[in-house]
Amino acid sequence: MSDTLTPAGTGTAAPARPVYRVTGPRVLRAEWAKLWSLRSTWITLGLALLFLVAFGIIASTRFNSLTGSARMPRDFARSTALSLSLFGTNFAQLALGVLGVLVTAGEYSTGLIRSTLTAVPRRLPVLWSKAAVFGLVALVTGTLGAFTAFLFGSRIVAGTSAAMGFTHAGVVRSLLGAGLYLGLVGVIGTALGALLRSVAAGVAVLVAAFMLIPGLMTLLPSTWQNDISPYLPSHAGESLFTLTPDPTVLSPRSGLLVFLAWTALSLTAAAYRLLRSDA
């Protein structure tokens, strides 16, 4: 038996490993996959939908049962099918905002952020992708919940003073505005998580900004309230889905610009810290 000799340098070379480039679409797909791989995503989005639809139905049912009764509160009597259906918006914003904080701050608590930033060393595409992906998901969830709540609520109060349909002037715009508001709340939550890098701190700031501070405004003199209150994030955002704004409240267009400014401010602060601080 003879051996076959292979000349040096003529052996079969190992196949070259493919070179992967970090691109925007690939980062978006990665963040999309990470978002839906978490059980908390499904649970929290389900809760947001439940809050919107269930509380809207409860408020509409209560209005229907009190119609024509002396027990009807004066403020409640001026409600419309739209305002009753969107009664659960404040609860849904808390669920979506908290999930937004978890999307970014959760990676810091588990240490996964180091792997993420190693794969995407430029860093900022990670923040933009997280905000875009979750903002879109929150937008779709909020819009779906708002339209579903109004679909049921308008049928419950049909024949009462609050009766209103989709063809009523401003209804579709308000429902879309509610979805946009909830989507931007999700983006702000994502930015707070990246800025503070702590789930507890992010949730605390979110609750303070959207629930505590607006309530504390009632302690200020009325002139201060009129000058400051409309520009708070929650009040500016509420103007997006208010059918007939109060004269002291911003118009839907002005409210949108103010709320977008708050969103941009939170993202800018998060981007600055992401670039300047180690993970």
Side-chain angles (χ1 to χ4, degrees):
M1 180 181 294
S2 61
D3 295 332
T4 302
L5 299 178
T6 302
T10 62
T12 303
R17 298 180 62 182
V19 178
Y20 294 101
R21 294 180 56 196
V22 178
T23 62
R26 283 175 175 167
V27 178
L28 284 170
R29 286 198 296 269
E31 294 303 328
W32 178 269
K34 283 193 289 186
L35 177 65
W36 293 110
S37 66
L38 299 174
R39 185 181 301 175
S40 58
T41 299
W42 298 92
I43 295 174
T44 311
L45 291 178
L47 286 175
L49 275 175
L50 178 65
F51 290 153
L52 271 172
V53 178
F55 282 107
I57 292 175
I58 291 171
S60 300
T61 303
R62 183 168 183 268
F63 181 92
N64 190 46
S65 65
L66 292 177
T67 297
S69 171
R71 296 183 293 112
M72 171 77 82
R74 183 176 300 178
D75 293 339
F76 197 50
R78 294 194 293 267
S79 300
T80 64
L82 181 67
S83 63
L84 293 169
S85 300
L86 297 180
F87 184 79
T89 304
N90 287 337
F91 302 96
Q93 76 175 5
L94 182 60
L96 292 174
V98 168
L99 182 56
V101 172
L102 287 170
V103 166
T104 47
E107 288 201 22
Y108 282 94
S109 62
T110 60
L112 179 62
I113 191 64
R114 296 186 182 90
S115 300
T116 300
L117 297 182
T118 299
V120 189
R122 293 178 61 187
R123 296 193 173 194
L124 286 185
V126 173
L127 177 61
W128 307 144
S129 297
K130 287 181 181 295
V133 167
F134 183 67
L136 177 62
V137 171
L139 170 66
V140 173
T141 302
T143 304
L144 177 62
F147 274 86
T148 303
F150 184 79
L151 179 65
F152 288 104
S154 60
R155 292 182 179 182
I156 293 173
V157 299
T160 68
S161 60
M164 188 178 290
F166 284 105
T167 57
H168 192 281
V171 167
V172 173
R173 188 268 306 165
S174 297
L175 294 175
L176 292 174
L180 178 59
Y181 170 70
L182 292 173
L184 291 176
V185 168
V187 174
I188 291 176
T190 304
L192 289 177
L195 173 63
L196 301 174
R197 303 184 176 185
S198 166
V199 174
V203 172
V205 172
L206 182 79
V207 172
F210 285 91
M211 303 185 76
L212 295 182
I213 294 178
L216 293 175
M217 289 298 297
T218 58
L219 302 177
L220 297 178
S222 57
T223 54
W224 289 23
Q225 293 182 39
N226 295 335
D227 292 336
I228 300 175
S229 184
Y231 298 94
L232 294 177
S234 58
H235 290 166
E238 286 174 4
S239 66
L240 299 180
F241 55 89
T242 301
L243 190 62
T244 53
D246 187 90
T248 60
V249 180
L250 297 175
S251 66
R253 180 175 298 179
S254 299
L256 175 60
L257 292 176
V258 171
F259 199 60
L260 286 174
W262 281 110
T263 306
L265 178 63
S266 61
L267 284 173
T268 301
Y272 180 83
R273 186 174 186 193
L274 185 61
L275 289 175
R276 297 293 181 178
S277 302
D278 293 332

